[in-house]
Amino acid sequence: MSSEKYPLRNAGIYRNLPTFDPSLKGVTAIITGANGISGFNTMRALLDSPERWTKIYALSRRPPPKAMMDLLPSDQRARVEHVACDFLDAPDKIAQALKAAKVDASYIFFYSYVHKDWAAAEELVKANVALFTNFLQALPLSNVRPKRFLLQTGAKNYGAHIGRVRTPLVESDPQPRHLEPNFYYPQEDLLKSYCKENNVGWNIIMPGAVIGAVNNAAMNAYHSYAVYAAVQAHKHEPIAFTGDWQQWQYENHSCSARLTGYLSEWAVLEEKCRDQAFNTQNGGPLSWDRFYSELARWFGVEKGVVPPSDDEASFRVRKGRAGTETPMGYGPPVVSKSSFTLTEWAMRPENAQAWQEIMKESAGRVNDNPFSDVERIFTLGDFEMMGHFGSVSLNKTRRFGWTGFVDTLESVFEAYSDMAKLGMLPPMVVDAAKPLV
C-alpha cells in the first residue's frame, strides 16, 4: 500500500502529510504508554482519520487524565478504549487483560517507558527490557497478531549523550553498544526476533527532543523554558540564555510529537517501509536566538532577552568524553559552557514564590506546580540547551517518500497552548507564533 499516487494534505500547522487509499477503513491499533508525550500525540494523529482508525486501544496502568482527553473532540474520544495493564506484571496477566477487553489490533505502537535518570543506565535497561519482554510474550497468549509493530526509541541510539558523534546522525551509523548500556538496543533485538518468529513487519522511529503537551512534563524539555519565561515576565525581569555564543546560534532539530505520530502512521501503512528504522524531526532547524525572541513575545517579557556574555570567565565549562570513549571513536571532547542552569534558577525561593503568585492570580486555571519537583522538570531543559548533539538526517526518511513538515516555533506554541488548557502554564499574551518564513 502506497501513498505516492495520492495528494498531500495539511492538518492545521502540520503540512504536506500523506493521504492513503480511501478503501483502507476500519483499522485498529494498540498504543502503549498512551499517557505519555509520544503515545498520546500518536493517538491524536491516528484519530485525525476517523474512517481509517475506528478503534484505538490505549494500554497503560491508568487511563489518560480527563484533562488530556478533553483536548480531543467527543467523536475522537469515543474511538479510544483504555485497557488497564501493567507491563511489569507477568505475561499471562497482561494477556488476561487483553483478552478480557477483546483486543484485536492490526498495528501496535509501543511507547511505554519506565523513567529513571540516564545515569542509572543498568537500572533503566533492566526495567525497560522487562516491560517490553512481558508485553511481547503476552501477544501470542492473547491471540493478538499485528501486521506491523512500531517501537519508538530516540536519538540516544547514536550515543550523542555520551560524547562526540559523526554528524549528521544517519540510520546506518553503527550503534555504540560497547560504550555503555542502553535499553534501546536489547529492545530492538527483542522486537526483531519477535517479528521474525511471527512474520510481523517492524519499524523503529528515533526522534530527538520531543515537543508536545501531556500532564507528565518530565520528557518535555520545552516546558521548563515556558515556566522560566512566565516567571521572569511576572517579576518584570528579562530572560537570559545560559550558554555561550556558539550555543546561542546552534541550529537545533526538534521533533513535534504529533508530526512524529503522523510519520509513524505513514511508516506502518507503507509496505516499502517494512522492517526499516527512521529518524524523525520537524524538517527545519531552530536556533536558541530565534526561539528566545519568540518566547519573550509569547509570555510578555517586557525587559526582553539577555544574550550570552562576552566574558569567558563568567562561564563554567563542561567537557564530555574524548577519543575512543566516544561514539565517533576519536577527537577532542565536546565542550559546553553555562553561566547558570535553569535547575539552579528554579531552586531560588523567589522564583517558586512567583509561581505561587501566578497560580493564585489565575483563579485555579493554573494548578500545576513545577517547582514541587525541580530536578524532574528542569534537568532535561538544561541538557537540551547545553548540548551539541549533531543534526538529525532526514535523507532516508525522504528517500522513502515522507514529506511531512511543521515549523518548530508553531509546534512549540501549540504545545504551550495545550499546556495552558491542562493547567500547566498561564495563557500566552499573543494569539499565534511567527513562523520562520
Side-chain angles (χ1 to χ4, degrees):
M1 182 177 302
S2 176
S3 60
E4 288 182 355
K5 64 180 181 179
Y6 295 97
L8 301 177
R9 71 182 181 96
N10 295 335
I13 63 173
Y14 303 95
R15 304 176 189 279
N16 304 330
L17 301 175
T19 56
F20 295 89
D21 188 333
S23 67
L24 179 61
K25 297 179 179 179
V27 182
T28 58
I30 288 172
I31 296 180
T32 79
N35 291 345
I37 187 170
S38 294
F40 182 69
N41 281 284
T42 291
M43 185 168 71
R44 296 179 79 173
L46 300 188
L47 291 170
D48 192 32
S49 299
E51 293 190 358
R52 181 157 59 246
W53 301 95
T54 53
K55 171 75 79 171
I56 305 292
Y57 296 98
L59 273 56
S60 56
R61 287 180 296 173
R62 295 177 296 276
K66 182 180 183 301
M68 281 171 53
M69 293 302 290
D70 285 346
L71 295 175
L72 309 177
S74 59
D75 64 307
Q76 292 189 359
R77 294 196 297 270
R79 289 185 281 129
V80 178
E81 179 178 342
H82 176 252
V83 179
C85 50
D86 185 343
F87 294 159
L88 293 178
D89 286 338
D92 60 342
K93 187 173 182 180
I94 299 170
Q96 288 174 10
L98 298 179
K99 287 191 287 188
K102 299 180 180 180
V103 173
D104 180 18
S106 303
Y107 299 90
I108 295 176
F109 300 82
F110 192 91
Y111 301 102
S112 295
Y113 170 65
V114 176
H115 180 64
K116 296 178 184 293
D117 193 308
W118 271 85
E122 294 282 3
E123 293 181 35
L124 264 176
V125 170
K126 183 178 180 180
N128 286 287
V129 169
L131 67 83
F132 192 56
T133 300
N134 293 340
F135 178 69
L136 289 176
Q137 293 179 357
L139 294 178
L141 296 177
S142 57
N143 295 316
V144 173
R145 304 182 185 279
K147 295 179 180 178
R148 192 74 64 88
F149 193 126
L150 181 141
L151 169 68
Q152 181 170 297
T153 58
K156 287 187 176 72
N157 169 76
Y158 299 103
H161 60 297
I162 300 173
R164 189 176 296 277
V165 294
R166 298 187 74 185
T167 185
L169 306 174
V170 177
E171 291 90 340
S172 59
D173 288 344
Q175 295 169 327
R177 297 190 177 208
H178 61 292
L179 292 177
E180 70 175 34
N182 184 332
F183 70 87
Y184 293 172
Y185 307 147
Q187 282 191 340
E188 180 177 320
D189 295 341
L190 288 164
L191 174 65
K192 291 178 179 178
S193 176
Y194 163 83
C195 289
K196 183 177 181 180
E197 292 173 5
N198 294 276
N199 193 27
V200 175
W202 58 265
N203 289 106
I204 295 171
I205 304 299
M206 298 177 289
V210 178
I211 300 164
V214 290
N215 287 96
N216 180 0
M219 296 307 295
N220 190 345
Y222 280 86
H223 175 234
S224 60
Y225 310 144
V227 173
Y228 174 56
V231 167
Q232 293 299 97
H234 180 80
K235 297 191 303 177
H236 305 287
E237 295 179 8
I239 55 175
F241 185 64
T242 66
D244 65 1
W245 283 96
Q246 183 176 355
Q247 290 160 255
W248 181 238
Q249 295 191 292
Y250 174 72
E251 293 186 354
N252 190 36
H253 291 269
S254 296
C255 304
S256 155
R258 186 90 64 87
L259 186 69
T260 300
Y262 286 121
L263 180 144
S264 299
E265 176 190 32
W266 163 83
V268 301
L269 294 180
E270 290 279 6
E271 183 59 30
K272 65 186 176 184
C273 293
R274 180 186 171 108
D275 300 345
Q276 296 292 332
F278 294 107
N279 289 334
T280 176
Q281 43 115 320
N282 289 344
L286 178 67
S287 68
W288 296 109
D289 165 20
R290 292 190 181 275
F291 174 64
Y292 258 57
S293 61
E294 273 292 270
L295 185 65
R297 188 178 71 90
W298 296 346
F299 286 95
V301 181
E302 298 171 354
K303 296 294 181 67
V305 178
V306 177
S309 171
D310 292 331
D311 180 9
E312 285 293 321
S314 67
F315 295 108
R316 291 167 292 183
V317 177
R318 176 182 174 273
K319 293 184 178 182
R321 301 185 193 179
T324 58
E325 295 183 352
T326 68
M328 193 167 184
Y330 61 94
V334 173
V335 176
S336 59
K337 301 176 182 179
S338 63
S339 55
F340 72 99
T341 68
L342 292 181
T343 302
E344 293 167 345
W345 170 88
M347 290 180 176
R348 297 173 189 159
E350 66 269 22
N351 295 322
Q353 178 59 38
W355 189 261
Q356 290 292 335
E357 294 168 3
I358 289 172
M359 294 176 68
K360 184 177 180 180
E361 292 173 6
S362 76
R365 290 189 297 274
V366 180
N367 50 48
D368 180 74
N369 184 9
F371 293 87
S372 64
D373 193 347
V374 168
E375 292 284 344
R376 186 177 70 89
I377 298 300
F378 292 90
T379 299
L380 184 59
D382 285 325
F383 177 75
E384 294 295 337
M385 198 175 290
M386 292 172 62
H388 298 275
F389 302 116
S391 61
V392 177
S393 172
L394 283 183
N395 286 6
K396 179 180 178 181
T397 316
R398 298 294 194 211
R399 285 173 69 92
F400 273 77
W402 172 248
T403 53
F405 167 81
V406 66
D407 185 287
T408 296
L409 287 172
E410 290 186 309
S411 70
V412 175
F413 188 91
E414 181 182 76
Y416 287 169
S417 297
D418 283 346
M419 287 181 195
K421 296 174 185 175
L422 294 173
M424 299 169 66
L425 293 174
M428 291 174 284
V429 301
V430 298
D431 295 329
K434 294 179 180 177
L436 282 180
V437 294

Coordinates of all heavy atoms in Angstrom, one line a residue, residues 73 123 166 190 291 373 399:
P73 N -11.8 16.2 20.5 CA -13.3 16.3 20.3 C -14.0 15.0 20.7 O -13.4 13.9 20.8 CB -13.4 16.4 18.7 CG -12.0 16.8 18.3 CD -11.0 16.2 19.2
E123 N 19.9 0.2 35.6 CA 18.5 0.1 36.1 C 17.5 0.4 35.0 O 16.5 -0.2 34.9 CB 18.3 1.1 37.3 CG 19.1 0.7 38.5 CD 18.8 1.8 39.6 OE1 17.7 2.3 39.7 OE2 19.8 2.1 40.4
R166 N 29.5 11.3 14.8 CA 29.5 11.8 13.5 C 28.2 12.6 13.2 O 27.2 12.2 13.7 CB 29.7 10.7 12.5 CG 31.0 9.9 12.6 CD 31.1 8.9 11.5 NE 31.5 9.6 10.3 CZ 31.6 8.9 9.1 NH1 31.4 7.6 9.0 NH2 31.9 9.6 8.0
L190 N 15.0 -7.7 20.7 CA 13.8 -8.4 21.0 C 12.7 -8.2 20.0 O 12.0 -9.2 19.6 CB 13.3 -8.0 22.4 CG 14.1 -8.5 23.6 CD1 13.8 -7.7 24.8 CD2 13.9 -10.0 23.8
F291 N 14.4 31.3 19.0 CA 13.4 30.8 20.0 C 13.2 31.8 21.1 O 12.1 32.1 21.5 CB 13.8 29.4 20.5 CG 12.9 28.9 21.6 CD1 11.6 28.6 21.3 CD2 13.4 28.7 22.9 CE1 10.7 28.2 22.3 CE2 12.5 28.2 23.9 CZ 11.2 28.0 23.6
D373 N 9.0 19.6 42.1 CA 10.0 18.6 41.7 C 10.9 19.2 40.7 O 10.8 18.9 39.5 CB 9.2 17.4 41.2 CG 10.2 16.2 41.1 OD1 11.4 16.3 41.2 OD2 9.6 15.0 40.8
R399 N 13.9 9.7 1.2 CA 14.0 8.8 0.1 C 12.9 7.8 0.1 O 12.5 7.3 -1.0 CB 15.4 8.1 0.2 CG 16.6 8.9 -0.2 CD 17.9 8.2 0.1 NE 18.1 7.1 -0.8 CZ 18.7 7.1 -2.0 NH1 19.3 8.3 -2.4 NH2 18.9 6.1 -2.7

